[in-house]
Amino acid sequence: MTEVNLVLQDTQQQPPPTRADALKNRALILTTAARLFVEGNVHDVTMSDIAEAAEIGKGTLYRHFDNKAELCQALLDEDQRALQDRALEYFRTQGNPLDNLGWFLVEVALFVDRNSHLLCVSSDHIMTLEHPAHWWWRQTIRGLLGQLNLPGDVEYFADLLYVMLDVNTIYFQRKNQGYPIERITDGLLDTLHRITA
């Protein structure tokens, strides 16, 4: 059996080192945007609002981020990397693939719920199921399911669990259905146990 890579590969080349004042401005922009997005609605906050609140020129803002979607992706990046680091550490210390998968599904659902205001920043959603930053979720789900030696269509089972973690699904469950996040995570675990029973 070939080993499934559970790590998101960083295929982008590293940019040259950034000047200290540029790093400071970037951090200021991200901090300001995060605050404004929490205080209001991401859709209503403009790039001009961010520049004004950060007390920087629009040129400085646009040197760092071409648009609001790019800024949201930068805000998501830190949390996404932290999730990946936690997952790799958890998998190294825990031996049971079923427990690992249950833990991972809950962690991803919490990530999506915590960041849904950023993930839903545009009508076509910047983070889709095909996005590499999320595709590693499916790779991880598939890899852990593969370790369980289940009968049936493991690829389809992986897709089923993966689709349940999509921002559109969780947003619908939270906003339209009124489910608390605990109901969603309990439902994911129940579905997992039914698949693996």
Side-chain angles (χ1 to χ4, degrees):
M1 179 173 99
T2 59
E3 185 176 324
V4 178
N5 185 4
L6 302 182
V7 180
L8 175 64
Q9 299 297 317
D10 187 359
T11 58
Q12 297 178 344
Q13 292 183 343
Q14 296 300 317
T18 308
R19 292 183 356 229
D21 60 332
L23 289 173
K24 182 179 174 185
N25 283 336
R26 179 181 169 84
L28 175 63
I29 292 165
L30 289 172
T31 302
T32 303
R35 178 176 51 81
L36 292 177
F37 292 161
V38 168
E39 290 173 358
N41 183 319
V42 176
H43 294 284
D44 296 336
V45 176
T46 66
M47 293 292 273
S48 295
D49 294 336
I50 295 167
E52 183 179 325
E55 299 180 352
I56 59 170
K58 286 184 187 178
T60 300
L61 175 61
Y62 282 105
R63 268 193 297 281
H64 291 278
F65 302 101
D66 290 338
N67 53 53
K68 190 164 52 173
E70 192 175 288
L71 199 149
C72 288
Q73 286 178 333
L75 286 170
L76 286 165
D77 183 62
E78 185 176 332
D79 200 8
Q80 180 81 288
R81 288 180 188 278
L83 170 60
Q84 185 177 5
D85 290 344
R86 280 195 318 278
L88 293 174
E89 180 61 28
Y90 190 88
F91 299 154
R92 273 194 288 272
T93 59
Q94 305 299 318
N96 184 316
L98 183 58
D99 291 343
N100 288 348
L101 184 50
W103 176 88
F104 185 71
L105 293 173
V106 169
E107 287 295 308
V108 173
L110 293 173
F111 169 89
V112 172
D113 186 56
R114 181 170 61 246
N115 292 295
S116 65
H117 65 292
L118 297 173
L119 293 164
C120 293
V121 75
S122 66
S123 59
D124 58 351
H125 302 297
I126 59 169
M127 292 294 212
T128 64
L129 290 172
E130 295 91 8
H131 196 284
H134 287 178
W135 189 247
W136 78 272
W137 298 351
R138 192 205 180 271
Q139 287 179 295
T140 302
I141 293 166
R142 173 59 184 91
L144 292 169
L145 284 172
Q147 292 175 21
L148 296 172
N149 298 314
L150 300 173
D153 189 343
V154 175
E155 294 294 331
Y156 188 84
F157 296 157
D159 289 340
L160 172 67
L161 294 170
Y162 181 51
V163 167
M164 295 309 296
L165 297 171
D166 182 53
V167 64
N168 297 299
T169 303
I170 291 179
Y171 188 85
F172 169 78
Q173 291 175 326
R174 294 283 278 143
K175 302 303 179 192
N176 293 59
Q177 299 297 94
Y179 296 168
I181 189 61
E182 295 79 15
R183 183 173 181 185
I184 294 170
T185 55
D186 288 349
L188 280 166
L189 294 175
D190 184 50
T191 301
L192 173 61
H193 288 111
R194 288 172 188 272
I195 288 171
T196 58

